[in-house]
Amino acid sequence: MSKREKCGIFGIYSPDEQIFPYLYWGMLAQNHRGHQSHGFATYNNGLEYYTELGLIPPIKEPGKESKVKQLEGKIGIANVRYTTSGGKDYQALCYDAMPILSKGESKSLVLSFNGNIVNVRELQEKVGISKDTSDTHALAALIVQTLEENGSLPEAISYLMNNIDGAYSITGILDDGTLFAFKDPNGIKPMCYGFTDGKYAFSSESTGLAINGIEWQRELRPGELLIVKDGVMSQVQAQPWKNQAFCAFEFAYFSRPDSRYNGRYVYEIRRALGAALARKHGDKIKRCEIVVCLPESAIDAAYGFHEESGLKWEMALRRHRYVSQRAFITDGVDRQSVIYRKLNILTPKIVGKNIAVVDDSIVRGDTMRGNIKRLREAGAQEIHLFITYPKIIGPCFYGIDMSTYKELIGAQLSVDELAVELDADSVNYMPVDEYVKETGLRRDQLCLGCITNKYPTAQADELARSIRKELSKGGTEKGRVYE
């Protein structure tokens, strides 16, 4: 399926080079994390920034003026965004595109944010920001207002962490050229830092560093604040390190396969998940003749599944690379039209066959339903689904666009009912404990809220319980659960 994660972020300091090319390539390597808008900000004796809607464009096209405004400066941040807070109309998308500039009476900053704030309404009221805007504006205003009260960046970030429920990895620049980056006390969202030849860089994924030739150092720790001022980096534990709760969905879907966490590349974890899935469901595999996968995030899992099961792997489902629209952007007929055009099925490879279809997850079911319909039309005899991510039964409060129970097909139907609804012969999930094992992390080091209904932050957990209670009484959800 097509799922959207809130954002990708990047920040860099260089002692002697213009940094815009690093920002550009660092974000281009992470454009999968946000298609709706992009933007850049630098410090060059003052803060400069610009944002645009859509994917990051080429720097130069033959016979055309570049759409990229190359900002000057040796300190900068950048962002790509999907909407999980604020409005979705054209004006809202333009206004909420990041980085954003926040100005106070005596302080100002630019901010790039990945995550989602659960108590956003409380925060907006506290800082006097309109409820029609995204949570990023309220976060930035809170930092500026706290800085104006005490002047200390570590104290401002500590205050933010004490008053915010949610997930956040953030890079920013103060109006004196201070570059900073920090992560929430549960470490839900990814962010690493690198260092090479005097350059410090921060990135949602390690690929943002690798494309720029910057050596990866480590992931930021939960509650950690890193500050780069005048070429020197300092570290502050702005909030005591709570139990880490890293987003489990990063391994199955969001992160690039060549990104790495906890000393392992994501593709290695996905391949291990595929192998574990094959071991778990050997009885169903006996009915299958070939294995195929839904490109592209399931390719590595399908390879591991093929290795473990011994089934022939047919690359019989091919993605039309330049059909860039995501299925979640449109509704109804348009959504189905996009889903249909994204995939090319090599009919002779599957006609009359019993097939194992490996995919990363099932959220709403729209994409899977459409793809199974096409596989049936192409002549597949039996279709058995093997899903690496456990059954999604709860919304995400932390920046993935699945924010209500009602939209989650797994929250409404049993596994057997899912198979009927999707027209599959069987649906086979990875159990939660086995998924956790293959990530290399412990259960208490992961956010598993969407597959267990147990959330790592207090307000999100309480909100989820209250919504489930209301739904059990016949109540309904109205929009995003946290708004």
Side-chain angles (χ1 to χ4, degrees):
M1 67 151 290
S2 291
K3 301 157 282 280
R4 53 180 174 178
E5 216 273 349
K6 179 158 185 169
C7 297
I9 62 176
F10 192 82
I12 186 168
Y13 162 87
S14 175
D16 51 16
E17 291 183 69
Q18 292 292 314
I19 48 78
F20 189 84
Y22 293 97
L23 294 177
Y24 178 87
W25 292 110
M27 277 288 72
L28 197 65
Q30 301 179 87
N31 214 160
H32 60 286
R33 299 188 74 90
H35 286 193
Q36 287 181 326
S37 66
H38 64 275
F40 305 92
T42 61
Y43 177 80
N44 187 37
N45 295 319
L47 297 172
E48 298 181 63
Y49 79 107
Y50 86 94
T51 59
E52 294 286 349
L53 297 187
L55 295 164
I56 297 174
I59 291 181
K60 212 169 191 180
E61 295 182 87
K64 295 183 180 180
E65 185 177 345
S66 175
K67 296 179 181 178
V68 179
K69 181 180 178 182
Q70 299 194 40
L71 303 177
E72 294 188 352
K74 299 177 183 179
I75 304 163
I77 60 173
N79 186 275
V80 290
R81 180 177 186 258
Y82 276 134
T83 305
T84 61
S85 176
K88 296 182 180 180
D89 59 273
Y90 177 79
Q91 288 78 12
L93 291 176
C94 291
Y95 186 73
D96 292 335
M98 293 185 275
I100 66 161
L101 173 66
S102 182
K103 290 184 176 182
E105 293 183 2
S106 61
K107 301 284 186 181
S108 60
L109 58 75
V110 284
L111 203 71
S112 177
F113 167 50
N114 174 31
N116 204 69
I117 304 307
V118 178
N119 59 332
V120 59
R121 293 295 183 240
E122 174 189 330
L123 176 61
Q124 288 168 333
E125 185 175 346
K126 180 183 181 68
V127 299
I129 292 291
S130 169
K131 292 182 179 180
D132 294 328
T133 62
S134 74
D135 47 9
T136 312
H137 294 277
L139 281 172
L142 181 64
I143 297 173
V144 169
Q145 290 174 16
T146 312
L147 281 171
E148 290 183 330
E149 289 175 6
N150 60 41
S152 166
L153 180 60
E155 288 184 25
I157 303 307
S158 179
Y159 181 79
L160 179 149
M161 292 182 181
N162 279 320
N163 287 273
I164 296 300
D165 187 289
Y168 44 92
S169 286
I170 291 174
T171 57
I173 310 173
L174 301 184
D175 52 14
D176 65 355
T178 299
L179 174 67
F180 62 93
F182 63 92
K183 184 184 281 193
D184 71 79
N186 291 287
I188 297 172
K189 293 296 178 184
M191 181 162 58
C192 57
Y193 91 90
F195 176 78
T196 294
D197 297 330
K199 291 184 285 289
Y200 293 95
F202 307 100
S203 182
S204 289
E205 296 186 36
S206 62
T207 49
L209 303 177
I211 198 171
N212 281 311
I214 297 172
E215 186 175 352
W216 178 90
Q217 299 297 315
R218 62 172 172 84
E219 276 285 310
L220 269 71
R221 302 183 182 97
E224 183 177 29
L225 166 66
L226 297 181
I227 302 171
V228 181
K229 178 67 174 173
D230 299 327
V232 177
M233 189 177 79
S234 57
Q235 184 271 348
V236 177
Q237 193 64 40
Q239 184 77 0
W241 184 343
K242 299 179 181 178
N243 288 333
Q244 178 176 304
F246 186 77
C247 174
F249 216 176
E250 291 284 348
F251 298 113
Y253 179 77
F254 283 117
S255 291
R256 279 179 47 157
D258 49 343
S259 287
R260 64 175 180 174
Y261 303 112
N262 198 33
R264 296 174 69 193
Y265 286 103
V266 171
Y267 87 86
E268 296 176 303
I269 296 171
R270 290 178 182 164
R271 188 168 66 184
L273 288 169
L277 197 57
R279 290 193 296 272
K280 176 65 179 176
H281 298 289
D283 56 330
K284 296 292 174 55
I285 289 173
K286 293 177 183 178
R287 298 192 58 85
C288 301
E289 299 168 79
I290 61 170
V291 57
V292 300
C293 67
L294 295 174
E296 294 177 356
S297 55
I299 289 176
D300 296 308
Y303 181 65
F305 189 95
H306 146 74
E307 284 185 311
E308 184 67 29
S309 68
L311 289 176
K312 183 180 181 181
W313 185 22
E314 285 283 9
M315 295 292 287
L317 280 68
R318 297 287 180 165
R319 182 180 179 183
H320 290 292
R321 182 174 297 178
Y322 299 106
V323 178
S324 60
Q325 292 93 339
R326 293 283 185 104
F328 56 79
I329 295 175
T330 54
D331 295 316
V333 175
D334 287 341
R335 177 190 288 258
Q336 294 304 320
S337 176
V338 171
I339 290 171
Y340 186 91
R341 286 173 169 80
K342 285 179 67 175
L343 201 65
N344 185 31
I345 297 177
L346 311 186
T347 300
K349 297 295 184 181
I350 64 170
V351 65
K353 300 278 180 60
N354 294 345
I355 63 174
V357 178
V358 176
D359 199 12
D360 54 79
S361 59
I362 302 174
V363 180
R364 298 171 185 84
D366 294 339
T367 303
M368 186 63 75
R369 188 183 294 107
N371 287 332
I372 290 177
K373 182 176 184 291
R374 293 194 61 201
L375 288 168
R376 294 287 188 198
E377 292 171 349
Q381 189 70 29
E382 292 185 13
I383 300 174
H384 298 273
L385 302 181
F386 296 88
I387 311 299
T388 59
Y389 197 64
K391 188 166 178 267
I392 295 173
I393 59 173
C396 177
F397 295 88
Y398 304 125
I400 299 173
D401 187 36
M402 45 187 200
S403 56
T404 63
Y405 282 98
K406 65 183 178 183
E407 69 189 285
L408 305 175
I409 194 170
Q412 315 300 326
L413 303 176
S414 69
V415 173
D416 290 340
E417 290 170 335
L418 265 174
V420 173
E421 173 66 23
L422 298 174
D423 193 26
D425 290 274
S426 69
V427 178
N428 308 279
Y429 282 102
M430 176 77 80
V432 174
D433 285 341
E434 293 191 31
Y435 182 89
V436 170
K437 178 183 176 183
E438 298 305 330
T439 68
L441 297 174
R442 301 189 310 271
R443 190 176 179 121
D444 64 357
Q445 293 178 309
L446 291 166
C447 175
L448 303 166
C450 62
I451 55 178
T452 64
N453 269 320
K454 296 178 181 177
Y455 297 87
T457 65
Q459 292 190 41
D461 200 50
E462 176 57 34
L463 184 55
R465 283 199 301 269
S466 66
I467 293 168
R468 292 196 301 273
K469 184 177 179 180
E470 183 67 24
L471 292 174
S472 70
K473 295 178 180 179
T476 59
E477 295 168 291
K478 299 176 182 178
R480 298 171 183 144
V481 293
Y482 43 83
E483 291 184 342

